[in-house]
Structures are given as structure tokens and as C-alpha cells.
């Protein structure tokens, strides 16, 4: 049985691993099926056939409205956020060379959470009304993620470079400090701020609209394109610094650019979906078990798995306890925490 599949597109020829190709196509079909199922489930149930019709505005006015305006934006945002977090985690695991690395560990999510709570506390008046438009909240959270990402990088810099283990240790320390500041901000602020911020920190896509999707999608697609250009360098970093140096690469420069890409991806996801936890840890690790460690295929498979995880978690969050909506981050953490413990025991036994 052939392991690779070759095909031509004009003057270009491609050689693709058969297992990776089948896995990618299978995950793509799975996520399409989940989208249709998720669009039809809710307080108003819609059959799959009517869902497909409603996507193309060929169903009733009510079904078109529910599918296109209420459910489709949050589903697409769930997929985009999950894909971004998964690719961010895959980058970190590559440059740190540790399968336990994720955006949560180096403080990116914590930085976004802190600036979000600060925004809600500083711009709320005595009547618990925001004095500044809520549309500025994603920008505030994104700035927090980027600032903490750069802070961790520069604090980890020593003797003309950055060691992966030092980056992790600094990240854990900064993350703990930022989490303490976030908690203090929530305690000192009004109750309205604490309750609202707590939902966002946990992770939620409730109330998503097309404007948010249209803002996040180009950002994720642009960063994904740049990331695929750097996929070969990620493969070399995964094998060690000596290989990168011998191949004529610049270890610290590549590491800085890749860390910036990871921060930008995670920051964009957290800015619109909140602090959805453990996706950046689980998805790349699952993808690595399915298709191996080559980043040319690991990145898209990680993105598909990340989108699937958040999509399924959101489906459970809005239907399992209806009419009450549980933040999507509760379910990703419920899955991710045991999975993290499993990885710890597995790495310990090696």
C-alpha cells in the first residue's frame, strides 16, 4: 500500500502522505457535519435539510434568521478561535520542544484576561454602565496578550538568547502574577465587573455577531499564511538548536518571530472568545498522534481539531442546561484538565 499520494496542478506537482491526507479530509467532513448539526439544535430545532436551505436563504424567514443571524456567527467564531488557539499551542510546543506547552502556560491568556477585567472596572460607572463602547473590549484583551507575550520574551532573554526551559519558567511566573492582579482587580471592582469578567475569563462565544467574525477571520487567515511559510523552520526547531544553526538558520530570530505569531493567534482568539482553556494543549498533541510531527500537516490538523473541540463544547454549553447557557470554557477545561494530568503521567513514565 502506497504511503504517499502524488497529483499535479498545472506545472506544479504535490506529494502528500496518504494517512495525513485521509485524516485532513475526514476532519474537514466531520467539522462540516458538526456545523450542520449545531445549526439545527437549540430551543428552535431545525432539520438538517432545512438548515442547508437556510444557509442559502431558501427556507422560511424565521429559520433563515435563526441560522444566519443567531447561530452561524457563534459557530464560525468557535471554529476560528479553536483553530487559532490550537495553532498557537503547536508553535509553542515546537519552539519549546515540550508537548505540555500552551498559550495558558506562558501567560498570553492571563494577559488578555487582566486587561479585560481592567477595561470593565475602569470604564464602569456607579450604575454599572460602561462609559466606553464594549466594542473596544477585544482590542484591550489583544493588547494584554501581546504585552505579556513580549514581557515574557524579554525577561527570558539571557546571554544573547532564550532557552526553552527558561521561557516556560518565566511564563509560569508571569502568568501567576497576572492572575493575582486579575483577581485583585475583580475584588476591588464592582460586583457587575466581577460577574461579567468571570464569564469572559472562563471563555464564552454567546452573543457573537457577524462583525466579530468578519474582524477575526482575516486576522487568523493572514497569520496562518505566514505560519505555513515558517513551517519548515518549525520542523527544524522541533529537532534542536544545533540543527537550525548548522542549516544556516537564526535560532533567536526565528524563535522571536514564531513566538510573535503564537501570541498574535492566541491574542486574537482570546480577544473575541475569552479565555478558553486547554485547547492549545490538547489539539496539537492529538494531531501529533494522528499525523506525526511534520508541521506542514500538523498545523492544519491541529486547527481542525481545535475548531472541533470548541464547536462541540459550545454545542454542549448552549443545549445541555437550556435555557441556562454555560461558558464554553467550562467544558474545554473539564476535558483538558484530565488530559493534562494524563500527559504529565505519560511524560513521567518515559
Amino acid at each position: 500500500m502506497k504511503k504517499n499520494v502524488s497529483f499535479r496542478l498545472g506545472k506544479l506537482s504535490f506529494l502528500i502522505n496518504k494517512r495525513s491526507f485521509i485524516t485532513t479530509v475526514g476532519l474537514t467532513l466531520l467539522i462540516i457535519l458538526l456545523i450542520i448539526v449545531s445549526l439545527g439544535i437549540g430551543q428552535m430545532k431545525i432539520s438538517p435539510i432545512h438548515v442547508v436551505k437556510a444557509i442559502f436563504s431558501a427556507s422560511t424567514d424565521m429559520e433563515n434568521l435563526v441560522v444566519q443571524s443567531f447561530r452561524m456567527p457563534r459557530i464560525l467564531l468557535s471554529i476560528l478561535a479553536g483553530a487559532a488557539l490550537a495553532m498557537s499551542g503547536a508553535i509553542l510546543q515546537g519552539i519549546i520542544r515540550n508537548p505540555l506547552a500552551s498559550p495558558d502556560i506562558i501567560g498570553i491568556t492571563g494577559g488578555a484576561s487582566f486587561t479585560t477585567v481592567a477595561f470593565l472596572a475602569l470604564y464602569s460607572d456607579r450604575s454599572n454602565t460602561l462609559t466606553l463602547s464594549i466594542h473596544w473590549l477585544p482590542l484591550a484583551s489583544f493588547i494584554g496578550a501581546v504585552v505579556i507575550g513580549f514581557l515574557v520574551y524579554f525577561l527570558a532573554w539571557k546571554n544573547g538568547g532564550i532557552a526553552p526551559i527558561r521561557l516556560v519558567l518565566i511564563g509560569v511566573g508571569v502568568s501567576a502574577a497576572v492572575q493575582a492582579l486579575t483577581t485583585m482587580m475583580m475584588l476591588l471592582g464592582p460586583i457587575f465587573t466581577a460577574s461579567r469578567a468571570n464569564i469572559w475569563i472562563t471563555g464564552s462565544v454567546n452573543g457573537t455577531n457577524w462583525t466579530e467574525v468578519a474582524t477575526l477571520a482575516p486576522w487568523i487567515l493572514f497569520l496562518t499564511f505566514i505560519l505555513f511559510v515558517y513551517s519548515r523552520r518549525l520542523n527544524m526547531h522541533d529537532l534542536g538548536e544545533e540543527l537550525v544553526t548548522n542549516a544556516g538558520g537564526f535560532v533567536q530570530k526565528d524563535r522571536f518571530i514564531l513566538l510573535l505569531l503564537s501570541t498574535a493567534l492566541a491574542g486574537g482568539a482570546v480577544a473575541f472568545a475569552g479565555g478558553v482553556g486547554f485547547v492549545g494543549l490538547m489539539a496539537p498533541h492529538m494531531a501529533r498522534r494522528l499525523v506525526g510531527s511534520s508541521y506542514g500537516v500538523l498545523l492544519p490538523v491541529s486547527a481542525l481539531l481545535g475548531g472541533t473541540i470548541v464547536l462541540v463544547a459550545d454545542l454542549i454549553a448552549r443545549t445541555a442546561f437550556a435555557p441556562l447557557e454555560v461558558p464554553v470554557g467550562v467544558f474545554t477545561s473539564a476535558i483538558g484538565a484530565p488530559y493534562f494530568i494524563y500527559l504529565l503521567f505519560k511524560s513521567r513514565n518515559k
Side-chain angles (χ1 to χ4, degrees), residues 87-133:
M87 289 189 289
S88 176
I91 297 171
L92 292 176
Q93 291 173 13
I95 61 178
I96 297 175
R97 301 195 304 276
N98 190 326
L100 301 180
S102 70
D104 311 76
I105 289 180
I106 68 168
I108 295 174
T109 303
S113 300
F114 173 72
T115 50
T116 298
V117 174
F119 177 90
L120 294 174
L122 295 175
Y123 294 101
S124 296
D125 56 22
R126 293 182 178 179
S127 61
N128 293 333
T129 303
L130 285 174
T131 58
L132 191 65
S133 174

Side-chain angles (χ1 to χ4, degrees), residues 23-104:
T23 302
T24 304
V25 172
L27 288 173
T28 303
L29 294 176
L30 174 62
I31 207 167
I32 292 173
L33 177 63
L34 287 172
I35 289 173
I36 295 174
V37 171
S38 185
L39 285 172
I41 295 179
Q43 290 186 344
M44 177 181 177
K45 291 181 173 55
I46 305 173
S47 68
I49 296 177
H50 283 236
V51 166
V52 175
K53 289 182 178 180
I55 292 175
F56 299 99
S57 301
S59 188
T60 64
D61 291 341
M62 179 59 70
E63 289 180 345
N64 292 342
L65 177 66
V66 170
V67 169
Q68 295 183 10
S69 299
F70 298 152
R71 294 178 184 171
M72 183 65 82
R74 70 181 293 167
I75 288 172
L76 293 180
L77 190 72
S78 298
I79 295 171
L80 288 170
L85 290 170
M87 289 189 289
S88 176
I91 297 171
L92 292 176
Q93 291 173 13
I95 61 178
I96 297 175
R97 301 195 304 276
N98 190 326
L100 301 180
S102 70
D104 311 76

Side-chain angles (χ1 to χ4, degrees), residues 95 150 153-154 157 162 237 250-263:
I95 61 178
F150 276 109
Y153 182 86
F154 287 114
W157 184 275
I162 290 180
H237 276 273
F250 300 93
V251 176
Q252 301 307 328
K253 178 184 176 182
D254 289 349
R255 191 167 286 162
F256 175 78
I257 293 174
L258 290 168
L259 182 61
L260 180 62
L261 286 171
S262 176
T263 302

Side-chain angles (χ1 to χ4, degrees), residues 6-334:
S6 61
F7 65 93
R8 298 183 65 88
L9 183 61
K11 295 182 178 180
L12 299 176
S13 61
F14 300 88
L15 186 65
I16 300 176
N17 181 272
K18 193 170 184 179
R19 178 182 175 184
S20 301
F21 178 76
I22 293 174
T23 302
T24 304
V25 172
L27 288 173
T28 303
L29 294 176
L30 174 62
I31 207 167
I32 292 173
L33 177 63
L34 287 172
I35 289 173
I36 295 174
V37 171
S38 185
L39 285 172
I41 295 179
Q43 290 186 344
M44 177 181 177
K45 291 181 173 55
I46 305 173
S47 68
I49 296 177
H50 283 236
V51 166
V52 175
K53 289 182 178 180
I55 292 175
F56 299 99
S57 301
S59 188
T60 64
D61 291 341
M62 179 59 70
E63 289 180 345
N64 292 342
L65 177 66
V66 170
V67 169
Q68 295 183 10
S69 299
F70 298 152
R71 294 178 184 171
M72 183 65 82
R74 70 181 293 167
I75 288 172
L76 293 180
L77 190 72
S78 298
I79 295 171
L80 288 170
L85 290 170
M87 289 189 289
S88 176
I91 297 171
L92 292 176
Q93 291 173 13
I95 61 178
I96 297 175
R97 301 195 304 276
N98 190 326
L100 301 180
S102 70
D104 311 76
I105 289 180
I106 68 168
I108 295 174
T109 303
S113 300
F114 173 72
T115 50
T116 298
V117 174
F119 177 90
L120 294 174
L122 295 175
Y123 294 101
S124 296
D125 56 22
R126 293 182 178 179
S127 61
N128 293 333
T129 303
L130 285 174
T131 58
L132 191 65
S133 174
I134 193 67
H135 294 98
W136 289 102
L137 180 61
L139 177 62
S141 59
F142 176 73
I143 290 173
V146 173
V147 168
I148 293 300
F150 276 109
L151 179 63
V152 170
Y153 182 86
F154 287 114
L155 288 177
W157 184 275
K158 185 179 181 181
N159 298 328
I162 290 180
I165 187 63
R166 182 176 174 83
L167 184 68
V168 172
L169 293 176
I170 293 292
V172 171
V174 171
S175 180
V178 171
Q179 186 176 2
L181 291 173
T182 303
T183 303
M184 184 178 68
M185 184 72 71
M186 292 174 64
L187 292 174
L188 295 177
I191 297 177
F192 165 80
T193 300
S195 59
R196 191 169 189 175
N198 195 45
I199 293 175
W200 188 93
I201 289 172
T202 307
S204 176
V205 291
N206 186 24
T208 300
N209 55 53
W210 280 111
T211 302
E212 295 173 343
V213 176
T215 303
L216 182 61
W219 178 255
I220 300 300
L221 292 174
F222 173 71
L223 293 173
T224 301
F225 173 77
I226 298 176
L227 182 55
F228 273 99
V229 174
Y230 274 84
S231 61
R232 289 182 61 188
R233 300 187 186 185
L234 261 172
N235 287 329
M236 290 191 293
H237 276 273
D238 201 32
L239 296 174
E241 295 182 7
E242 291 184 3
L243 178 62
V244 179
T245 304
N246 293 335
F250 300 93
V251 176
Q252 301 307 328
K253 178 184 176 182
D254 289 349
R255 191 167 286 162
F256 175 78
I257 293 174
L258 290 168
L259 182 61
L260 180 62
L261 286 171
S262 176
T263 302
L265 283 166
V270 173
F272 289 94
V276 181
F278 290 102
V279 177
L281 170 72
M282 293 187 292
H285 195 270
M286 293 175 179
R288 195 171 282 107
R289 293 176 67 89
L290 289 173
V291 297
S293 58
S294 176
Y295 277 86
V297 67
L298 178 65
L299 288 171
V301 171
S302 295
L304 288 169
L305 284 170
T308 301
I309 290 171
V310 179
L311 176 58
V312 172
D314 178 57
L315 176 61
I316 298 172
R318 67 182 176 85
T319 58
F321 301 96
L324 177 66
E325 284 211 19
V326 181
V328 64
V330 171
F331 293 97
T332 58
S333 297

